[in-house]
Amino acid sequence: MKHIQKLIAIFVIAILALIMEFGLHHPLWAQILITLTGAYLAFTMFVEMIKTLMSGKYGVDLLAITAIIATLSVGQYWAAMIILLMLVGGDTLEDYAAHKANSDLKSLLENSPQVAHRLNNKNNTTADIEIDDIQVGDWLLVKAREIVPADGHILKGSGFFDQSSLTGESKPIEKDLGDDVMSGSLNGDTVVIIQADKESKDSQYQRLITLVRESEAKPAHFVRMADRYAVPFTLIAYVIAGFAWFISKDPVRFAEVLVVASPCPLILAAPVALVAGMSRASRNGVIVKTGDVIEKLATAKTFAFDKTGTITRGTLSVDKVVPAVGIDQQELIKLSASVENNSNHILGRSLVGYAKDQRIPLKKANSVKEVTGNGIQAEVDGKIIKVGKSTFVTGATSELEQTQTAMFISINDQYAGYMTFTDRMRPEAKQTMNVLTQQHHARVMMLTGDQQETAEDIAQQAGISEIHAELLPDEKIKLIKNTPKDHRPVVMVGDGVNDAPALAEADVGIAMGAHGATAASETASAVILKDDLSRVEKAVEISEDTMKVARQSVMIGIAICTILMLIASFGVLPTLFGALLQEVVDTVSILWALRARHGHSKKAPTSGSHKIVFNS
């Protein structure tokens, strides 16, 4: 907004100057007006440049300031006006490009749900409430084409849910009875009733909005790429301009060269490319909070992954079903899942999901009684079914519970069998390891606090040969902190509250935010919205592509500017025409930088030493 107002002001001054010179035939007035305007803007740019230098950074504003002063000094005030329009117009164009590239993130804010329909299951009436008033356990009616207001699971109904704004997944996902639904998902053409598992402020969509606002509020450190090219580019420009002046003995030649020595490719191209890369990452289910994260991910050499909830699912699933003698296994699953379908216990939900996967139909349970921390009892087909701890089901303690997570079942107070649960490895983990190993020539290690036996089992499944188990949390933090310089930047990936310190310690912290802790998402510098480990490699791929486009756009701009400077040094480019050519250079650089919004080339294997550390 500020740049638009400044551009309008400069444009009005340019029109007034045109009227003065060509309408009123007072070129001196036009020159004075443009000179005063140019002097003021050059002074403000000089002040900003001093502040930049005092902060220990080097900017490229010196070229623009010199070009303005040089053209004004030799009486080429219309060329100076073109430069002023170019600089302010370039800033405005940058704002537009950044806004366009960032539109995917901002669309999340526009679709934020404001109202929920709370259902009174006793009299079957609904009442509209504010999103912030949703409580855990509330029954919520979600109408067709409405956005789900809070994280929950389906109690009644089924349908397709569009999760593209959250996960980048283009196809609607079918959800059935008992399935989890994320806030921010768009319901399809059916009405469903869900039970809120989290308050609105803790739900996925509101957390995502908080992250987006945080991303917009944080200053993005885009200047470092410009810094790398600013000094040599400035020196080249001054050498060519000085040599042209020396040979021609004409100070106008100095101004003609500097007019085409535009710093705009340096000032604009890298920021636009990085913001475009952030937008592309968001469409692929990864929120990147600042531009420098893109730079670090593109050159990362060490990746530290949490094990539980990152390499593994972080949720328990049925491992073994062991019926008692004379009990049919499928019947045992049907009866116990029918009872657990009335419970919110994590093992119960896992069992119901397992029965659904096995296509085992559930039966209606009556007289449901849940004993918190022990188990649940209900009547199914006239039989009293108990499911839970061994003491609750059989009245005796089982040694099995000391070594494994287990659930016991009885039918009419007669022991019927048990089930064990385990945390399984993510199905995409092995493929992700293969991609990292094959394409990035990565060294893969597992660092975990788990016992050696458990670590070896997961490592074997994931194809990881180097294992370090039974580590304390501070030992993991110390390992990240003491990573040698030649193995940096360090990327840490985690999902739980316990991962937050390690995420903060790493150069880049990536949180698995689909089911992870809020603390991890807030601490991390990037958040993976889809529960998919392969998005880490995708984020690296996008970052590498983005930095490649950013470098290309900068180098294309510099190359064109250098050619124009050499041409101008022979005196064949008048200052006014040279200033107009700069708009072409700026447009080419920015349009090329916007290519980072989309992937244009297939990722090729990269060389170099990468170290990947898996950390639980």
Side-chain angles (χ1 to χ4, degrees):
M1 187 68 181
K2 181 177 68 173
H3 289 142
I4 292 177
Q5 293 173 347
K6 188 183 290 187
L7 179 62
I8 292 172
I10 296 293
F11 190 71
V12 169
I13 291 171
I15 292 175
L16 289 175
L18 284 169
I19 293 172
M20 288 176 183
E21 176 150 346
F22 301 104
L24 303 177
H25 304 291
H26 289 294
L28 182 60
W29 292 1
Q31 184 175 0
I32 291 172
L33 179 61
I34 294 174
T35 301
L36 290 174
T37 304
Y40 170 74
L41 285 179
F43 176 74
T44 57
M45 290 175 66
F46 181 75
V47 172
E48 289 298 320
M49 186 184 72
I50 295 299
K51 290 180 180 179
T52 301
L53 290 172
M54 290 178 65
S55 67
K57 300 173 184 176
Y58 182 84
V60 289
D61 290 337
L62 185 60
L63 271 177
I65 296 170
T66 308
I68 294 171
I69 295 173
T71 48
L72 291 174
S73 300
V74 298
Q76 301 291 325
Y77 53 93
W78 283 114
M81 175 54 72
I82 295 294
I83 294 172
L84 293 175
L85 285 169
M86 174 193 69
L87 290 172
V88 179
D91 288 338
T92 306
L93 183 58
E94 178 190 8
D95 286 347
Y96 169 75
H99 173 76
K100 182 174 178 60
N102 215 25
S103 60
D104 297 281
L105 298 181
K106 292 183 178 179
S107 66
L108 295 170
L109 301 177
E110 297 170 0
N111 295 327
S112 176
Q114 303 298 322
V115 176
H117 314 297
R118 180 186 282 159
L119 178 66
N120 187 326
N121 56 346
K122 293 182 179 178
N123 54 23
N124 209 31
T125 60
T126 59
D128 288 350
I129 60 172
E130 296 291 328
I131 289 292
D132 293 338
D133 294 333
I134 295 176
Q135 301 294 321
V136 175
D138 280 351
W139 287 30
L140 303 174
L141 181 72
V142 183
K143 299 177 182 178
R145 312 307 300 169
E146 275 193 342
I147 293 176
V148 177
D151 289 355
H153 63 278
I154 296 178
L155 291 177
K156 295 181 180 179
S158 62
F160 288 85
F161 290 78
D162 183 353
Q163 301 178 162
S164 58
S165 63
L166 294 164
T167 65
E169 197 157 10
S170 57
K171 294 192 301 183
I173 306 300
E174 186 175 8
K175 301 284 185 178
D176 209 339
L177 189 68
D179 286 345
D180 291 327
V181 289
M182 292 190 292
S183 62
S185 306
L186 179 64
N187 187 20
D189 298 323
T190 61
V191 177
V192 297
I193 296 173
I194 69 169
Q195 184 171 29
D197 293 333
K198 295 179 181 178
E199 295 180 16
S200 176
K201 63 182 178 64
D202 296 324
S203 291
Q204 177 72 12
Y205 198 70
Q206 295 301 323
R207 283 167 50 202
L208 176 55
I209 288 174
T210 301
L211 291 170
V212 172
R213 285 178 175 153
E214 182 182 333
S215 172
E216 291 182 330
K218 279 189 176 182
H221 304 289
F222 291 147
V223 296
R224 289 185 298 168
M225 172 169 278
D227 289 345
R228 288 196 287 270
Y229 297 102
V231 174
F233 182 64
T234 302
L235 290 176
I236 289 171
Y238 282 143
V239 167
I240 295 175
F243 185 75
W245 186 1
F246 176 77
I247 296 297
S248 65
K249 311 298 181 184
D250 184 2
V252 174
R253 194 69 58 83
F254 181 80
E256 288 173 346
V257 173
L258 289 186
V259 160
V260 295
S262 170
C264 285
L266 289 176
I267 296 172
L268 302 182
V272 169
L274 289 171
V275 174
M278 292 168 68
S279 174
R280 181 184 167 195
S282 75
R283 295 197 310 276
N284 282 273
V286 183
I287 293 290
V288 176
K289 295 183 182 179
T290 60
D292 61 333
V293 173
I294 294 285
E295 294 191 57
K296 291 174 181 175
L297 277 174
T299 57
K301 294 183 176 66
T302 300
F303 291 80
F305 285 72
D306 167 60
K307 184 182 72 65
T308 304
T310 303
I311 293 182
T312 62
R313 292 179 180 274
T315 56
L316 295 172
S317 57
V318 175
D319 184 30
K320 295 178 182 177
V321 179
V322 184
V325 177
I327 303 294
D328 179 73
Q329 185 182 74
Q330 185 164 329
E331 183 69 13
L332 183 68
I333 296 171
K334 179 187 294 186
L335 292 175
S336 56
S338 298
V339 174
E340 286 290 354
N341 194 34
N342 298 275
S343 173
N344 282 324
H345 192 276
I346 185 171
L347 295 184
R349 297 284 297 279
S350 296
L351 175 56
V352 171
Y354 178 76
K356 184 186 300 183
D357 292 341
Q358 298 295 315
R359 300 184 181 278
I360 298 175
L362 304 186
K363 295 188 174 183
K364 184 178 180 181
N366 301 308
S367 304
V368 179
K369 297 178 183 177
E370 188 165 8
V371 181
T372 303
N374 285 288
I376 188 171
Q377 171 184 315
E379 183 180 332
V380 180
D381 287 345
K383 303 173 184 175
I384 302 299
I385 311 299
K386 286 185 177 181
V387 184
K389 290 184 176 180
S390 59
T391 51
F392 173 74
V393 172
T394 66
T397 302
S398 171
E399 293 183 1
L400 183 67
E401 289 179 313
Q402 307 300 318
T403 57
Q404 297 187 52
T405 302
M407 177 186 286
F408 296 83
I409 305 101
S410 69
I411 302 174
N412 291 330
D413 290 329
Q414 296 295 314
Y415 172 70
Y418 71 89
M419 301 174 187
T420 60
F421 297 78
T422 186
D423 185 10
R424 297 186 184 278
M425 190 185 74
R426 292 178 181 273
E428 74 276 7
K430 186 176 180 62
Q431 177 64 23
T432 301
M433 299 307 106
N434 288 337
V435 170
L436 291 169
T437 304
Q438 298 296 325
Q439 295 190 4
H440 298 274
H441 306 285
R443 176 189 176 196
V444 178
M445 283 199 309
M446 175 183 286
L447 300 181
T448 176
D450 282 349
Q451 297 178 352
Q452 186 73 29
E453 183 180 350
T454 304
E456 288 177 354
D457 181 48
I458 296 295
Q460 184 179 11
Q461 294 180 51
I464 302 170
S465 58
E466 191 172 344
I467 307 161
H468 297 272
E470 301 179 19
L471 298 177
L472 296 174
D474 59 340
E475 292 176 320
K476 302 166 191 172
I477 302 296
K478 187 176 180 181
L479 183 136
I480 293 174
K481 188 175 183 179
N482 294 335
T483 301
K485 286 186 178 181
D486 59 344
H487 283 161
R488 286 185 177 274
V490 179
V491 179
M492 167 69 191
V493 185
D495 76 312
V497 175
N498 62 310
D499 298 319
L503 292 171
E505 182 63 45
D507 296 310
V508 176
I510 300 179
M512 299 288 288
H515 300 292
T518 304
S521 297
E522 290 176 349
T523 305
S525 43
V527 181
I528 294 176
L529 304 176
K530 185 176 175 62
D531 200 24
D532 183 355
L533 185 63
S534 67
R535 299 294 164 131
V536 174
E537 197 277 330
K538 186 66 176 177
V540 174
E541 178 189 334
I542 290 172
S543 298
E544 290 178 349
D545 287 348
T546 299
M547 295 308 297
K548 181 180 178 181
V549 171
R551 283 190 295 270
Q552 287 174 345
S553 57
V554 168
M555 295 309 297
I556 287 171
I558 288 177
I560 296 174
C561 284
T562 303
I563 292 170
L564 291 177
M565 283 190 289
L566 291 172
I567 294 173
S569 67
F570 291 98
V572 295
L573 282 181
T575 52
L576 185 59
F577 184 66
L580 290 172
L581 281 177
Q582 276 312 305
E583 292 298 339
V584 177
V585 179
D586 298 341
T587 302
V588 169
S589 296
I590 290 171
L591 289 178
W592 193 275
L594 280 172
R595 293 174 71 252
R597 240 180 144 244
H598 307 281
H600 291 272
S601 60
K602 192 173 182 179
K603 187 177 185 295
T606 57
S607 60
S609 174
H610 294 70
K611 180 181 177 184
I612 291 149
V613 182
F614 294 89
N615 171 11
S616 71

